[in-house]
């Protein structure tokens, strides 16, 4: 039986119905609902534990004050520096990594010979699974001393160091997913483009990339969210000073590393404890904004 | 079918009974206490086969948390328990009992190439509050000072805050201070940065960094015990209630000459001068 016949046979069978299908569909439904319930529970837990901090510290102070002294009596909880640190690291690492990742994806999907592409794919996927603590270690032991020696800066555990590492973390993710998106563009579209006399680069730029754009957008946003939520690398390599960074060489303290570093000490139910949950809530909100952005971009893409 | 059920219950009971007998004693808490705590536990288990310990180091605050929620029987601490922590323990009907097990000096550390030998407590305070920002001001080269501190879950952080920053009025550590998440991270960031200053328990200070004198006194066993070195502290193990059975045996071992020798061997200061 060749593939065409098998496809035809599959269509002839009834699409749904019968007892087996009903049981299966209920099972899937049950699993999905329980997953959603657990997610809602987690969200509720975050909100319930994060919001009490607003009773003692007004939102404006939390968002716009850069004074973070959570263990003082009473605690001073200005998260502006932490938020700025998170945004700075995410932005800089995305700027460094995403163009490179997209170029890599175009290369592996469109330009590289098949055998080379396979090697690249395996390598990218392996790099994508690189534990972030290993990367943090590299930043601390290799990049930081090198920067210190060659650049004459006060401290090499800083925004730039962390962003470079975060970049390394997200390049394989973005490249690998974008590559898949590009590879999914039907060959007929390329053939049509060549038939109309387009060159290879024109085909890639004007046909392949635009039609793979939703997938590429999703890949890019996934990469950005990975950088936003990454904890270990920034804990180890970003220096951890709670200041709003002005230079690339300023140390930063993102929300994630703050939560990781301070969760140990905080007594359950204290203001500091609630503040850390609130920081988690802010992180969640940031990812939500990015998600909505992706939805918006995809919709616009479809309209065109 | 009924027989099978009976058999199953019997097996389960047996399993539960044996599990109860070989209960492991869980020790959690300060990473500062960990080196000699671990060594002492190993020695103790060698001498008392059949006793099982599981040891982890997650920070002093975490240790008290584990003590309160019942997941640990012994909490290692590099500072005394705070009022709030006593309250959270008592709320769960856990009565924490402190045992001093060792002495430790907190030593300011700098890069090996730094010519500064000694700092006063006032100078340290100025550096950590951000008033002094150049090594020139304290007799060093013309380089910026990079202040490295510990995260707030570290007991060493609490001790430093109390001994240096809160001396003569409460003071805040400068927001420019970097944060090292562990003793190891502190050592590596100070040893790799010629501008850096940090602090570390004496047992952790090794040859990769340079320990400073405080007010002209070198940290040592002698200066810690006679009180001349101003930044010395006790290290504790807190038990869940007054210890009994194996936990009591271990506490006695920890404070015996044999246990204190282990403390000495890992670079900390034993509670008393040991007979040679």
């Amino acid at each position: 039986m060749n593939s065409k016949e098998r496809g035809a046979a599959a269509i002839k069978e009834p699409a749904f119905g019968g007892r087996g299908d009903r049981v299966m569909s209920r099972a899937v439904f049950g699993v999905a609902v329980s997953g959603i319930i657990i997610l809602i529970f987690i969200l509720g837990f975050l909100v319930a534990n994060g919001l009490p901090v607003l009773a003692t510290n007004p939102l404006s102070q939390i968002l716009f004050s850069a004074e973070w002294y959570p263990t003082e009596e009473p605690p001073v909880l200005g998260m502006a520096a932490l938020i700025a640190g998170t945004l700075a690291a995410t932005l800089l690492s995305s700027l460094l990594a995403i163009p490179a990742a997209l170029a890599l994806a175009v290369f592996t999907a469109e330009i590289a010979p098949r055998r080379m592409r396979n090697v690249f794919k395996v390598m990218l996927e392996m790099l994508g699974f690189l534990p972030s603590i290993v990367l943090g270690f590299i930043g601390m032991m290799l990049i930081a001393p090198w920067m210190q020696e060659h650049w004459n800066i006060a401290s090499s555990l800083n925004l730039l160091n962390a962003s470079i590492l975060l970049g390394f973390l997200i390049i394989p993710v973005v490249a690998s997913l974008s590559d898949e998106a590009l590879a999914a563009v039907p060959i007929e579209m390329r053939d049509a483009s060549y038939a109309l006399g387009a060159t290879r680069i024109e085909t890639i730029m004007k046909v392949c990339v635009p039609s793979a754009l939703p997938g590429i957008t999703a890949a890019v946003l996934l990469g950005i969210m990975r950088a936003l939520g990454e904890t270990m690398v920034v804990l180890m390599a970003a220096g951890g000073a709670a200041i709003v960074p002005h230079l690339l060489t300023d140390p930063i303290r993102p929300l994630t590393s703050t939560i990781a570093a301070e969760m140990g000490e905080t007594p359950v139910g204290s203001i500091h404890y609630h503040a850390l949950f609130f920081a988690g809530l802010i992180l969640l909100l940031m990812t939500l904004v990015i998600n909505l952005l992706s939805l918006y971009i995809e919709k616009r893409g479809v309209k065109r | 079918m009924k027989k099978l059920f009976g058999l199953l219950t019997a097996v389960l009971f047996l399993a539960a009974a044996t599990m109860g007998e070989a209960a492991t004693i869980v020790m959690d808490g300060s990473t500062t206490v960990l080196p000699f705590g671990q060594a002492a536990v190993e020695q103790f288990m060698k001498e008392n086969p059949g006793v099982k310990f599981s040891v982890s180091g997650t920070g002093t605050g975490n240790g008290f948390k584990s003590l309160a929620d019942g997941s640990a029987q012994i909490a290692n601490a590099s500072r005394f328990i705070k009022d709030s922590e006593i309250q959270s323990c008592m709320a769960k009907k856990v009565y924490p009992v402190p045992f001093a097990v060792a002495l430790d000096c907190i030593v300011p550390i700098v890069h090996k190439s730094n010519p500064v030998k000694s700092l006063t407590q006032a100078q340290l305070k100025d550096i950590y509050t951000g008033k002094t920002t150049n090594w020139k001001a304290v007799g060093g080269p013309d380089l910026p000072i990079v202040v490295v501190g510990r995260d707030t879950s570290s007991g060493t952080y609490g001790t430093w805050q109390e001994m240096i920053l809160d001396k003569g009025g409460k003071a805040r550590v400068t927001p420019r201070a970097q944060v090292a998440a562990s003793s190891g991270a502190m050592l590596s960031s100070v040893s790799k940065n010629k501008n850096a200053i940090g602090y570390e328990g004496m047992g952790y200070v090794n040859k990769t960094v340079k320990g400073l004198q405080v007010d002209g006194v070198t940290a040592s066993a002698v200066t810690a015990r006679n009180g001349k070195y101003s930044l010395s502290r006790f290290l504790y193990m807190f038990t869940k209630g007054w210890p009994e059975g194996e936990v009591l045996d271990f506490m006695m071992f920890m404070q015996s000459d044999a246990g204190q020798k282990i403390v000495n061997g890992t670079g900390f200061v034993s509670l008393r001068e040991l007979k040679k």
Side-chain angles (χ1 to χ4, degrees):
Chain A
M1 203 196 278
N2 64 28
S3 65
K4 237 179 203 168
E5 277 166 1
R6 213 180 299 141
I11 288 170
K12 263 179 218 154
E13 280 168 18
F16 243 128
R19 197 160 150 221
D21 274 358
R22 263 209 310 281
V23 169
M24 201 56 214
S25 79
R26 290 220 178 118
V28 170
F29 179 74
V31 170
V33 166
S34 57
I36 290 171
I37 288 174
I38 291 170
L39 270 182
I40 290 174
F41 175 76
I42 291 174
L43 193 69
F45 185 77
L46 255 182
V47 171
N49 278 293
L51 288 189
V53 76
L54 295 177
T56 47
N57 296 60
L59 188 63
S60 59
Q61 192 208 328
I62 290 176
L63 290 183
F64 300 117
S65 156
E67 292 188 332
W68 177 253
Y69 291 97
T71 48
E72 251 178 33
E73 279 302 323
V76 180
L77 304 168
M79 293 190 197
L82 313 183
I83 296 171
T86 302
L87 291 177
T90 310
L91 204 73
L92 188 60
S93 61
S94 305
L95 281 180
L96 288 174
I98 286 171
L102 292 183
L104 200 59
V106 167
F107 176 74
T108 56
E110 303 292 333
I111 297 167
R114 168 164 293 209
R115 215 177 264 166
M116 200 178 188
R117 172 172 188 245
N118 290 342
V119 172
F120 262 91
K121 279 292 280 183
V122 171
M123 261 170 56
L124 284 180
E125 260 148 42
M126 263 170 45
L127 279 174
F129 287 118
L130 191 72
S132 55
I133 192 159
V134 175
L135 218 51
F137 198 69
I138 290 171
M140 234 171 150
M141 296 300 169
L142 289 176
I143 301 183
W146 186 88
M147 271 190 192
Q148 200 82 55
E149 224 170 279
H150 291 84
W151 290 5
N152 194 30
I153 46 180
S155 170
S156 55
L157 295 174
N158 54 32
L159 173 61
L160 187 62
N161 190 349
S163 300
I164 290 173
L165 291 169
L166 285 177
F168 275 122
L169 201 70
I170 62 178
I171 282 178
V173 177
V174 178
S176 176
L177 288 173
S178 306
D179 169 271
E180 308 254 312
L182 282 169
V185 173
I187 193 83
E188 286 85 352
M189 289 182 72
R190 292 192 184 101
D191 288 346
S193 169
Y194 289 135
L196 288 172
T199 63
R200 192 165 191 188
I201 218 71
E202 281 169 342
T203 308
I204 293 171
M205 284 307 158
K206 301 207 166 130
V207 177
C208 296
V209 171
S211 61
L213 205 57
I216 291 176
T217 312
V220 166
L221 290 167
L222 205 74
I224 293 176
M225 280 194 274
R226 175 96 199 256
L228 186 73
E230 175 49 41
T231 308
M232 218 52 229
V233 162
V234 283
L235 189 61
M236 292 172 85
I243 50 172
V244 178
H246 296 292
L247 304 167
L248 289 181
T249 52
D250 274 343
I252 54 159
R253 186 182 177 87
L255 290 163
T256 46
S257 64
T258 307
I259 297 174
E262 292 176 7
M263 212 57 193
E265 174 73 355
T266 53
V268 175
S270 65
I271 300 172
H272 185 191
Y273 175 85
H274 292 312
L276 292 183
F277 271 99
F278 195 79
L281 216 55
I282 292 177
L283 270 173
L284 198 73
L285 224 65
M286 285 181 180
T287 51
L288 190 73
V289 168
I290 293 176
N291 261 319
L292 290 178
L293 210 68
S294 79
L295 276 182
Y296 175 74
I297 292 174
E298 252 169 64
K299 242 185 211 160
R300 274 193 46 170
V302 168
K303 246 186 228 161
R304 242 182 355 160
Chain B
M1 191 66 205
K2 212 170 185 188
K3 228 184 212 167
L4 190 73
F5 188 70
L7 200 73
L8 242 149
T9 8
V11 167
L12 274 177
F13 261 105
L14 213 75
T18 45
M19 263 167 74
E21 230 162 36
T24 45
I25 297 165
V26 178
M27 179 192 259
D28 195 2
S30 168
T31 50
T32 311
V33 179
L34 200 60
F36 70 82
Q38 178 88 44
V41 162
E42 274 162 19
Q43 183 66 29
F44 185 75
M45 287 203 292
K46 216 182 266 169
E47 288 169 17
N48 301 276
V51 183
K52 278 220 170 85
F53 270 83
S54 109
V55 185
S56 55
T58 53
T60 299
N62 262 330
F64 288 131
K65 251 190 222 171
S66 309
L67 201 67
D69 67 27
S71 58
Q73 283 83 46
I74 302 173
N76 295 335
S78 54
R79 57 165 168 77
F80 202 71
I81 190 167
K82 284 185 201 162
D83 284 349
S84 58
E85 285 161 341
I86 294 179
Q87 277 161 15
S88 65
C89 278
M90 295 301 271
K92 297 209 169 116
K93 303 245 190 315
V94 171
Y95 185 77
V97 179
F99 289 84
V101 289
L103 268 161
D104 185 23
C105 299
I106 296 185
V107 185
I109 51 174
V110 293
H111 191 259
K112 269 208 291 204
S113 71
N114 198 321
V116 174
K117 275 207 181 97
S118 172
L119 290 172
T120 65
Q121 289 186 50
Q123 281 172 330
L124 283 171
K125 183 173 176 173
D126 282 349
I127 288 172
Y128 268 82
T129 50
K131 219 185 271 174
T132 309
T133 54
N134 197 302
W135 281 108
K136 222 170 164 180
V138 290
D142 185 13
L143 287 171
I145 299 181
V146 171
V147 176
V148 188
R150 290 293 307 277
D151 59 275
T152 54
S153 81
S154 141
T156 311
Y157 164 90
T159 315
W160 184 260
Q161 180 82 21
E162 198 179 297
M163 285 176 167
I164 294 296
L165 287 161
D166 289 352
K167 189 148 261 180
K170 287 224 174 230
R172 281 172 170 180
V173 62
T174 167
R176 293 204 73 90
Q178 302 202 356
V179 175
S182 66
S183 296
M186 170 70 91
L187 273 181
S188 84
S189 50
V190 173
S191 67
K192 294 204 156 58
N193 187 344
K194 59 184 190 296
N195 307 319
I197 182 170
Y199 51 82
E200 194 76 273
M202 201 168 117
Y204 273 102
V205 179
N206 59 20
K207 287 200 176 114
T208 60
V209 293
K210 177 180 170 186
L212 294 181
Q213 296 178 333
V214 177
D215 298 326
V217 182
T218 311
S220 73
V222 179
T223 53
R225 281 199 211 101
N226 68 15
K228 287 231 171 76
Y229 187 74
S230 46
L231 301 179
S232 63
R233 57 173 175 174
F234 279 106
L235 299 177
Y236 300 90
M237 287 182 182
F238 282 78
T239 57
K240 196 168 130 192
W242 187 255
E244 287 168 354
E246 282 144 1
V247 179
L248 177 63
D249 290 347
F250 177 71
M251 283 329 221
M252 303 284 280
F253 169 75
M254 197 67 241
Q255 294 188 318
S256 69
D257 274 6
Q260 290 300 306
K261 253 187 204 133
I262 294 172
V263 169
N264 252 359
T266 44
F268 290 88
V269 182
S270 56
L271 296 171
R272 55 186 177 274
E273 194 104 41
L274 296 165
K275 281 164 273 170
K276 291 255 161 75

